[in-house]
């Protein structure tokens, strides 16, 4: 598939349709956008040629390209505190046997502390407690199709928690391990410039009058209502292994 990755650059390969590419090129800059707001009264799509957003963005036959994959927040450190129980559980069994959970330790089970503080509390050398890497990376990317004149801005992360604890020797290995199960999350923005074809989003779990969302052609990004964003994210997560260009772009950005 001729999918291409562009790492945080504002230009991409010479397109077949320069007019279409120019339209997308001018609209790729980040904007707050507006909510896509045209909602039909039922899930009956009157236009048989309508594009269904969740299906389109996961369609492997479309020449999707990745643009502007970037990191907005990155935490990779060994200095954050953890509840005492995390430090104690990481100990070797032989150390646990010689330093059992006496009442004074049980009382501190949920108390956040550093590895050094935990070692002092237990009464052992600090080197005997492994300090995990705390990893939290949040980023975004734009996936776009020149043919459909459709661009979708997505957000990604390695964890929904404050940080993910990874026990590895070095930072690079911690990041690689953390992103073995990365995920899409949060807000989705749609830029649709094609006024010749209808674009819709379907949320079958919504109330009947809110299941079908028609996304009008616009020069600006429009953000999807939360329930429709969840539908797109769920479809992306289900098909993610068959859409390798997303992971490729993210891992290249992390490198």
């Amino acid at each position: 598939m001729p999918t291409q990755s562009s790492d945080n650059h504002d230009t991409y390969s010479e397109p077949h349709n320069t007019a279409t590419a120019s339209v997308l090129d001018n609209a790729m800059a980040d904007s707050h956008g507006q909510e896509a707001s045209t909602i039909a009264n039922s899930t009956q799509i009157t236009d048989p040629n309508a594009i269904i957003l969740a299906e389109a963005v996961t369609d492997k036959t479309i020449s999707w390209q990745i643009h502007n994959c970037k990191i907005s927040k990155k935490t990779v450190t060994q200095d954050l505190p953890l509840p005492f129980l995390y430090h104690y559980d990481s100990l070797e069994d032989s150390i646990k046997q010689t330093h059992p959970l006496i009442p004074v330790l049980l009382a501190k089970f949920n108390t956040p502390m550093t590895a050094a503080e935990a070692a002092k509390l237990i009464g052992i050398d600090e080197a005997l407690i492994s300090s995990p890497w705390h990893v939290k990376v949040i980023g975004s990317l734009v996936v776009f199709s020149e043919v459909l004149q459709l661009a979708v801005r997505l957000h990604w992360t390695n964890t929904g928690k404050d940080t993910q604890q990874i026990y590895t020797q070095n930072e690079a290995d911690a990041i690689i391990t953390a992103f073995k199960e990365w995920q899409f999350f949060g807000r989705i923005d749609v830029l649709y410039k094609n006024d010749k074809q209808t674009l819709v989003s379907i949320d079958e779990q919504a109330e009947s009058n809110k299941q079908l969302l028609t996304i009008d052609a616009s020069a600006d990004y429009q953000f999807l209502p939360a329930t429709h964003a969840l539908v797109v994210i769920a479809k992306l997560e289900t098909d993610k292994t068959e859409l390798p260009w997303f992971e490729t772009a993210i891992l290249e950005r992390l490198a």
Side-chain angles (χ1 to χ4, degrees), residues 113-152:
M113 61 184 68
T114 64
E117 292 169 336
K120 183 176 180 180
L121 180 62
I122 298 169
I124 60 176
D125 189 283
E126 181 181 345
L128 296 176
I129 294 185
S130 300
S131 294
W133 290 95
H134 297 258
V135 182
K136 174 81 170 188
V137 184
I138 296 175
S140 63
L141 58 81
V142 173
V143 58
F144 69 97
S145 165
E146 295 173 0
V147 173
L148 298 181
Q149 296 188 50
L150 171 63
V152 183

Side-chain angles (χ1 to χ4, degrees), residues 18-102:
T18 55
T20 299
S22 177
V23 168
L24 283 171
D25 226 5
N26 294 333
M28 281 298 161
D30 285 354
S31 65
H32 293 297
Q34 58 191 25
E35 183 175 354
S37 59
T38 305
I39 299 178
N41 291 327
S42 72
T43 55
Q44 183 66 38
I45 302 175
T46 58
D47 182 355
N49 295 317
I51 301 168
I52 301 174
L53 181 60
E55 298 295 332
V57 80
T58 55
D59 189 337
K60 299 183 292 296
T61 67
I62 297 174
S63 296
W64 290 106
Q65 298 183 45
I66 304 296
H67 170 73
N68 204 26
C69 183
K70 61 184 180 181
I71 294 171
S72 57
K73 179 180 179 182
K74 183 177 182 180
T75 299
V76 185
T77 180
Q78 288 181 297
D79 297 332
L80 295 179
L82 280 173
F84 173 73
L85 68 92
Y86 283 83
H87 295 296
Y88 189 84
D89 282 347
S90 71
L91 293 173
E92 303 243 345
D93 289 340
S94 59
I95 300 175
K96 292 179 181 178
Q97 291 173 3
T98 56
H99 295 80
L101 287 172
I102 58 178

